[in-house]
Amino acid sequence: SSPYVTAVGGVTGGTQGQEPLGESVWIDGGGGFSNYAPVQSYQTTPVQTYLSTANGLPEKSKYNATGRGFPDIAAQSVDFVIVVEGRDEGVSGTSCASPSAGGIFGLLNDLRLNAGQKQLGFANPFIYETAAKDSSAFSDVTEGYNRGCAGAVTKGFPAAKAWDAGSGYGSPDYAKLSTYALEAGKKTMKYV
């Protein structure tokens, strides 16, 4: 996974209004560790914590423990309805999750612009800093796992408390993130 994008994994299930939501890692979602990009400085601690404490990881020979961990966050990825040639069709995938998460960050940027602040820009440092400060800013996913790659493993990466390679930090909570996005904007305004 490229270190220059926010990788969004998939989750399924959950109950609106419940904290945590009770979502599970979507089994067909991606996640793991890059063979091309190293662990990024903003994610060193959560990735090391996951690799040293998670139960049920694939064999160490099956992944690159020094690679950039992904996804960074997750969003619902199952049972979306789209319209194709005038007909409703059900679809699932991280191609549903990514625009959902992108919409939340678009709203955060709008909030900052309306407050006279600059947009977030590259979101990953903000995501990891915010999650370290307040893990409830994301709905932590602690159930499920993603599938292994191309038959190399039968079970991929399991969900775990905090960041994991199945759902990242989990689904973003707009109400909580909006407070942190404005706080971060106020800090950076004094440097502009």
Side-chain angles (χ1 to χ4, degrees), residues 42-66:
Y42 53 80
Q43 66 172 185
T44 301
T45 299
V47 166
Q48 287 175 346
T49 300
Y50 176 71
L51 290 173
S52 65
T53 61
N55 293 318
L57 291 172
E59 292 176 37
K60 288 184 179 185
S61 65
K62 302 291 184 188
Y63 63 93
N64 177 16
T66 63

Side-chain angles (χ1 to χ4, degrees), residues 130-182:
T130 301
K133 192 182 329 179
D134 179 3
S135 62
S136 73
F138 299 89
S139 180
D140 193 14
V141 178
T142 59
E143 298 291 325
Y145 59 90
N146 55 24
R147 279 183 217 221
C149 285
V153 293
T154 56
K155 190 173 179 181
F157 293 96
K161 186 170 173 35
W163 183 89
D164 61 64
S167 64
Y169 277 113
S171 299
D173 182 326
Y174 172 78
K176 291 179 181 169
L177 287 173
S178 62
T179 300
Y180 293 113
L182 289 173

Side-chain angles (χ1 to χ4, degrees), residues 8-12 24-27 29-30 71 73-77 93-94 97 141 166-167:
V8 181
V11 295
T12 185
S24 296
V25 172
W26 183 50
I27 195 164
I73 59 174
Q76 284 292 319
S77 59
T94 52
V141 178
S167 64

Side-chain angles (χ1 to χ4, degrees), residues 49-142:
T49 300
Y50 176 71
L51 290 173
S52 65
T53 61
N55 293 318
L57 291 172
E59 292 176 37
K60 288 184 179 185
S61 65
K62 302 291 184 188
Y63 63 93
N64 177 16
T66 63
R68 180 238 198 281
F70 66 96
D72 301 298
I73 59 174
Q76 284 292 319
S77 59
V78 178
D79 297 333
F80 280 68
V81 177
I82 62 170
V83 178
V84 178
E85 296 178 0
R87 296 183 328 272
D88 291 349
E89 288 188 22
V91 295
S92 297
T94 52
S95 55
C96 298
S98 292
S100 297
I104 291 171
F105 281 87
L107 290 171
L108 293 174
N109 280 331
D110 187 53
L111 182 68
R112 285 174 57 125
L113 290 171
N114 284 324
Q117 300 175 0
K118 299 229 181 250
Q119 296 167 319
L120 283 168
F122 181 50
N124 288 0
F126 168 76
I127 290 168
Y128 284 79
E129 180 181 317
T130 301
K133 192 182 329 179
D134 179 3
S135 62
S136 73
F138 299 89
S139 180
D140 193 14
V141 178
T142 59

